[in-house]
């Protein structure tokens, strides 16, 4: 026995979301059907349509933006010669939250992944290289994740930029503040050990 | 730093879904924004609108239906005098999958929960009692979950129906087929023990 077509369609839509399988999608769709009122569903439907209409991708850094250029790139107090490279917009917002960084960003929109078939052409890398080539950058801070994909991407960008006179740094990986050494995974302990500094 | 309003709105919509917190909603909304194409988003938006328009609640049993009465209640081969009571539509579909049950259903649309403030008036119980009163039923099979809420609901319905000459049964709870006794939780073992039968 199958669900009515409209329900099957909505389940199908929910399965497109990251880490949402058939069971979870069923749960979401049935919840919408049985527990959400018409007004909330209309709001939800409109919010989906608005997202692409109202939000653009910054033509300079790849951040999300209400205009063509994002508020960070437009901010005159920001140092345009310091560029912090992140895998995605969420990472950018995480760094913005510490209220410390005063440069601008570059969003790759992913990381090189052989298993997922994501190569360099799928990422927003070229415009970064162009900026370095045109001598518009003093420092590139690589803040891709400390995963196989993030490390591969960081290394690849470093190699591409080696011939230019730009300072390349990588954010520190180590034990999280408040973290207990005995609970840390081996890779984190290794990174913490390798990255030790004079005390 | 906040996300653009359109993104905040979509995040808010996703948090309405069951067990979706702020972080997961952020992930979903950013995925829609960064990785879904316009056509998929339009489909998603339309699927939400269609769900309430195209799917109705069966006026007899509470199941979802493309018309006013669901395909099960309309099926002439089904025994209308045997009613299996479930908490929700998903449970109904789970039982339909075994292709064994030949009666009809009654969907409560929830279970009594003191902690969530769900009382008997929030559930679809009255029409079931009416059917029994009007001598339209031979057997009521209680298939609410083996949780505190499901048991409370089953007991409550049993009490309401005790004065009428209707057979009331409860589906069996015990060890799942293929399950290992040593991995079962205490309540399941207790139910399995209590429900033991001559062998």
């Amino acid at each position: 026995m199958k669900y009515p077509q409209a329900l099957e369609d909505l389940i199908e839509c929910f399965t497109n979301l990251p880490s949402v399988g058939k069971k979870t999608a069923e749960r979401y769709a049935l919840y919408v059907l049985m527990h959400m009122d018409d007004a909330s569903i209309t709001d939800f439907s409109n919010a989906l349509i608005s997202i692409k209409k109202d939000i653009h991708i910054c033509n300079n850094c790849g951040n999300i933006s209400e205009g063509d250029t994002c508020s960070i790139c437009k901010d005159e107090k920001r140092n345009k010669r310091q560029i912090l490279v992140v895998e995605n917009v969420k990472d950018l917002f995480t760094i913005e939250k510490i209220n410390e960084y005063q440069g601008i960003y570059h969003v790759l929109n992913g990381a090189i992944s052989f298993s997922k078939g994501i190569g360099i052409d799928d990422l927003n890398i070229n415009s970064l290289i162009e900026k370095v080539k045109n001598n518009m950058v003093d420092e590139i801070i690589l803040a891709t994740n400390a995963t196989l994909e993030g490390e591969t991407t960081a290394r690849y960008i470093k190699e591409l930029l080696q011939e230019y006179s730009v300072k390349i740094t990588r954010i520190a990986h180590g034990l999280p503040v408040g973290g207990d050494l005995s609970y840390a995974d081996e890779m984190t302990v290794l990174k913490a050990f390798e990255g030790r500094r004079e005390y």
Side-chain angles (χ1 to χ4, degrees), chain A residues 99-180:
Chain A
N99 260 325
E100 182 66 33
Y101 179 61
Q102 291 302 324
I104 59 170
Y105 293 89
H106 184 89
V107 182
L108 296 172
N109 209 13
I112 295 168
S113 167
F114 299 113
S115 62
K116 290 182 196 156
I118 301 172
I120 45 168
D121 294 335
D122 303 312
L123 302 179
N124 175 27
I125 289 185
N126 288 338
S127 65
L128 180 69
I129 310 300
E130 282 305 311
K131 280 184 195 164
V132 175
K133 267 189 189 167
N134 297 331
N135 198 22
M136 293 160 70
V137 191
D138 291 332
E139 181 182 3
I140 295 279
I141 305 166
L142 297 170
T144 53
N145 290 327
T147 56
L148 179 62
E149 290 81 11
E151 290 292 356
T152 307
T153 310
R155 251 166 234 215
Y156 178 76
I157 294 173
K158 191 188 155 196
E159 270 171 39
L160 280 180
L161 298 179
Q162 235 155 8
E163 53 182 301
Y164 306 101
S165 66
V166 62
K167 184 178 170 192
I168 303 173
T169 59
R170 178 98 171 99
I171 55 161
H173 294 294
L175 292 166
V177 176
D180 189 319

Side-chain angles (χ1 to χ4, degrees), chain A residues 43-63:
Chain A
D43 286 350
F44 196 168
S45 176
N46 291 339
L48 281 165
I49 293 297
S50 299
I51 195 116
K52 281 273 179 173
K53 215 177 60 203
D54 295 357
I55 302 183
H56 306 272
I57 303 300
C58 172
N59 52 19
N60 188 45
C61 72
N63 183 18

